[in-house]
Amino acid sequence: MKIELHTWNTPNGRKISVALEEMGLGYSVHPVNISKGEQFNPAFLRISPNNRIPAIVDPDGPDGAPISVFESGAILLYLGRKTGQFLPADPRAQVPVLEWLMWQMGGFGPMPGQVHHFLQVENEADRRYGLERYSKETRRLYGVADRRLAEAEFFAGALSIADFAILGWAWRHERHQVNLDDFPNVKRWYETMLARPAVQRGLDVALS
Ligand SMILES: N[C@@H](CCC(=O)N[C@@H](CS)C(=O)NCC(=O)O)C(=O)O
């Protein structure tokens, strides 16, 4: 049976469709229209109590019984462990995957997400401080990524779930007003990722 992907067409949603495609797992898309408040439906809250997409339901959980998972980082770790792909079992090799996954979850997502928010604020006085603060922090994070990718092909060395997490947000670089020409190593990595057929399928699949 297929994994249910409860999601919407957003950076956090795209991380999981890309990972599912890369791992070759069958899945069905269950759109949750967050602009209409469907994330507050009681049935969705039962699998995602923080009223955020994405969430998955795997009918074939670790013990054979169904399991649901919310939070995109937890979903990526779950899928990596389930398939043994893009998450090395060796503890030393796993550390950079966890580091860059947490780096994304804690910063390279929340910060550009705030840029997206403040860009929509119409009152200039309300907008200015937030936009300046979060744009600066977003650019700092792109700089961190650029330095990392000067020394490694992918964030954790080999392609991993951390790349899928980071790609979800890099995919929206134009929306948070970052020009990848300013970050040539990120640009090289981004183009490498987009050239992967499974990544393309994960970015193209209809989620809404
Ligand atoms: N930390 C969460 C964040 C998820 C998140 O912010 N999802 C947004 C869309 S990208 C959402 O569902 N927003 C609905 C809302 O704010 O009510 C994750 O990575 O899964």
Side-chain angles (χ1 to χ4, degrees):
M1 278 208 294
K2 291 179 174 177
I3 291 175
E4 292 175 13
L5 172 58
H6 298 257
T7 195
W8 195 242
N9 184 26
T10 74
N12 290 316
R14 287 292 166 193
K15 295 174 190 175
I16 310 303
S17 52
V18 165
L20 287 164
E21 291 287 349
E22 282 284 354
M23 291 173 184
L25 289 168
Y27 64 101
S28 54
V29 174
H30 300 251
V32 179
N33 187 336
I34 59 173
S35 59
K36 287 196 175 153
E38 290 179 7
Q39 68 273 35
F40 297 102
N41 288 351
F44 182 65
L45 289 175
R46 275 197 287 280
I47 59 169
S48 187
N50 195 35
N51 60 266
R52 300 277 196 276
I53 64 94
I56 62 163
V57 179
D58 181 1
D60 180 26
D63 47 6
I67 190 169
S68 62
V69 190
F70 72 97
E71 280 291 328
S72 59
I75 297 170
L76 290 170
L77 286 167
Y78 173 80
L79 295 175
R81 285 181 185 140
K82 177 182 173 79
T83 62
Q85 295 181 73
F86 307 111
L87 177 63
D90 172 68
R92 182 171 291 276
Q94 198 178 89
V95 165
V97 178
L98 299 178
E99 287 174 328
W100 289 103
L101 178 63
M102 300 305 155
W103 175 82
Q104 184 285 307
M105 293 297 295
F108 193 84
M111 297 303 121
Q114 291 298 326
V115 175
H116 298 180
H117 170 81
F118 279 99
L119 279 170
Q120 288 173 348
V121 172
E122 281 177 15
N123 182 299
E124 169 62 17
D126 290 343
R127 193 164 69 130
R128 192 180 313 117
Y129 177 80
L131 194 54
E132 221 175 271
R133 172 176 166 78
Y134 292 111
S135 295
K136 193 172 165 201
E137 180 61 3
T138 295
R139 286 189 73 80
R140 186 190 70 79
L141 290 164
Y142 271 89
V144 171
D146 205 58
R147 285 193 294 281
R148 171 59 181 163
L149 292 170
E151 62 185 27
E153 186 179 4
F154 297 101
F155 279 88
L159 181 65
S160 76
I161 54 171
D163 296 287
F164 307 149
I166 296 164
L167 180 70
W169 282 92
W171 173 64
R172 280 293 173 255
H173 62 275
E174 284 176 1
R175 185 163 170 213
H176 44 259
Q177 301 186 328
V178 166
N179 184 344
L180 291 190
D181 289 340
D182 297 343
F183 303 98
N185 300 304
V186 176
K187 187 173 183 183
R188 184 265 307 152
W189 165 86
Y190 185 71
E191 286 170 355
T192 302
M193 294 298 289
L194 289 198
R196 296 178 66 84
V199 166
Q200 270 308 327
R201 288 197 301 277
L203 293 177
D204 288 346
V205 63
L207 300 184
S208 47

